[in-house]
Amino acid sequence: MRVIDFFINEEHEGDTVLQYLKRSGFSAREIRRVKFRGDGICVNQERTNVRAVLHSGDVLAVCLDETEEQPEKILPWPGPLEVLYLDEDLIAVNKPSGMAIHPSHGHYADTLLNRVTAYLMECGESTGLHVIGRLDKETSGVVVFARNQLAAAGIGRQKQQKAAGFASGTEKEYLAWVCGSPEDSEGTVNAPIGSDPDTLQWMRVCPEGKPAVTHYEVLQCRGGFSLLHLRLETGRTHQIRVHMAYIGYPLAGDRHYGCASNSDGSGFTHAALHAERIFLTHPITGVPLDIHAPLPEEWSYLPLS
């Protein structure tokens, strides 16, 4: 069981419990589950119903049964795991390159979700996980999982705020090695991205695509390659890989959008992209989080470094 306390302020004076829970991200299904559970909803330590009116200074307590929130049965896959952040609502880990995030055809147990599930089981923790954002299989770096539906809904709202242009939304920052040296030390790529008509697996810049904006800054140049810091305003599939190739500086090691031969001389065997940092507001506590993922070990001994 997980009890979440909400402290009612003047802004929500006069709201019913139902109104407040809906504004806090509870779905109709979740509200039905808690309101029929013993002590599922309490105000000032007394059980109440969803029609009760809230007042400034009240403490609304909601009891969640996390065992009911398993989205699907995930097989545990024990193995090394670098945990960057962990609490009752979130877990963030540093994904290695070459690992898929969630099970799919051909990858039923050897994914990051399977490994995080095994880790939580070994710790005696609940394992109902919801993936928050995704990285390509080749990309390393920060991946966040919500540990209950309420946290997942809260992160979802932040992503919507980000898409709508509000500063409070989640934001990721990346590092990438690219082929060549951009003329300007910083710049922005604003070019729509859509599916390649020849295959749904790959993307391309095209007029009919969805809006996509990537900001980049050159950190250093070495041996015909450049290390970039990148920030996204949108989150399109393969956005960084597509945009960098579009302006003539494909990611080092990128076999599809970059060098078509077996090697571009960088030493990378996959696209050199790392999700270095994520900024978000904790979906339950409201505390700002800045989660940083150290660079992959391989970046320290490649010819570029």
Side-chain angles (χ1 to χ4, degrees):
M1 294 291 182
R2 169 81 196 288
V3 177
I4 301 176
D5 291 331
F6 297 95
F7 298 91
I8 308 304
N9 57 29
E10 294 180 358
E11 179 184 355
H12 297 287
E13 173 80 33
D15 282 0
T16 64
V17 170
L18 178 61
Q19 290 171 330
Y20 186 89
L21 292 180
K22 286 183 176 180
R23 290 170 182 163
S24 298
F26 283 80
S27 67
R29 177 172 174 267
E30 290 161 344
I31 293 173
R32 286 195 300 270
R33 281 177 14 195
V34 297
K35 75 178 184 179
F36 291 121
R37 184 180 301 127
D39 295 330
I41 301 174
C42 294
V43 174
N44 302 328
Q45 300 183 339
E46 293 186 7
R47 188 180 181 191
T48 190
N49 58 56
V50 296
R51 296 185 301 276
V53 176
L54 297 169
H55 302 284
S56 178
D58 285 346
V59 178
L60 170 64
V62 180
C63 182
L64 302 176
D65 185 352
E66 296 178 350
T67 62
E68 297 178 2
E69 296 179 349
Q70 306 289 342
E72 58 180 308
K73 182 64 176 178
I74 300 296
L75 297 173
W77 183 47
L81 186 70
E82 185 176 4
V83 178
L84 306 173
Y85 180 87
L86 175 65
D87 66 16
E88 292 180 293
D89 303 295
L90 303 173
I91 179 170
V93 301
N94 191 2
K95 178 182 109 56
S97 61
M99 181 182 291
I101 286 186
H102 53 82
S104 60
H105 180 70
H107 295 279
Y108 300 106
D110 57 342
T111 73
L112 188 64
L113 182 56
N114 300 103
R115 186 161 288 183
V116 174
T117 297
Y119 173 83
L120 291 174
M121 289 180 65
E122 291 171 359
C123 296
E125 300 273 352
S126 62
T127 59
L129 296 169
H130 308 260
V131 182
I132 305 300
R134 284 166 168 75
L135 297 179
D136 295 346
K137 183 177 179 181
E138 295 187 30
T139 305
S140 58
V142 182
V143 176
V144 178
F145 296 88
R147 299 185 58 193
N148 54 63
Q149 183 58 46
L150 184 59
I155 297 294
R157 288 195 305 276
Q158 290 185 41
K159 293 172 71 174
Q160 291 174 353
Q161 290 173 343
K162 176 65 177 177
F166 293 99
S168 59
T170 60
E171 184 171 326
K172 275 187 179 180
E173 294 184 353
Y174 295 79
L175 292 175
W177 279 104
V178 301
C179 300
S181 301
E183 294 182 4
D184 298 323
S185 60
E186 58 184 36
T188 296
V189 185
N190 187 345
I193 292 176
S195 298
D196 188 322
D198 295 329
T199 171
L200 296 179
Q201 183 180 1
W202 305 108
M203 311 300 287
R204 62 169 186 160
V205 169
C206 56
E208 67 274 15
K210 295 181 179 180
V213 180
T214 303
H215 304 284
Y216 68 87
E217 177 187 4
V218 180
L219 300 181
Q220 61 174 285
C221 298
R222 183 177 300 169
F225 299 89
S226 300
L227 178 64
L228 304 187
H229 173 268
L230 303 113
R231 182 174 58 84
L232 306 183
E233 286 192 19
T234 53
R236 308 304 176 203
T237 300
H238 297 175
Q239 178 171 321
I240 291 175
R241 297 170 66 183
V242 171
H243 271 176
M244 291 301 102
Y246 176 69
I247 63 172
Y249 305 103
L251 268 60
D254 193 332
R255 297 294 179 266
H256 182 80
Y257 299 107
C259 181
S261 65
N262 291 330
S263 175
D264 54 22
S266 66
F268 282 99
T269 58
H270 55 82
L273 182 61
H274 179 69
E276 179 196 30
R277 176 170 281 172
I278 185 170
F279 302 92
L280 71 156
T281 300
H282 194 288
I284 305 300
T285 66
V287 174
L289 298 178
D290 177 359
I291 304 172
H292 174 266
L295 288 171
E297 184 179 353
E298 62 184 338
W299 282 40
S300 66
Y301 58 74
L302 287 168
L304 287 173
S305 59

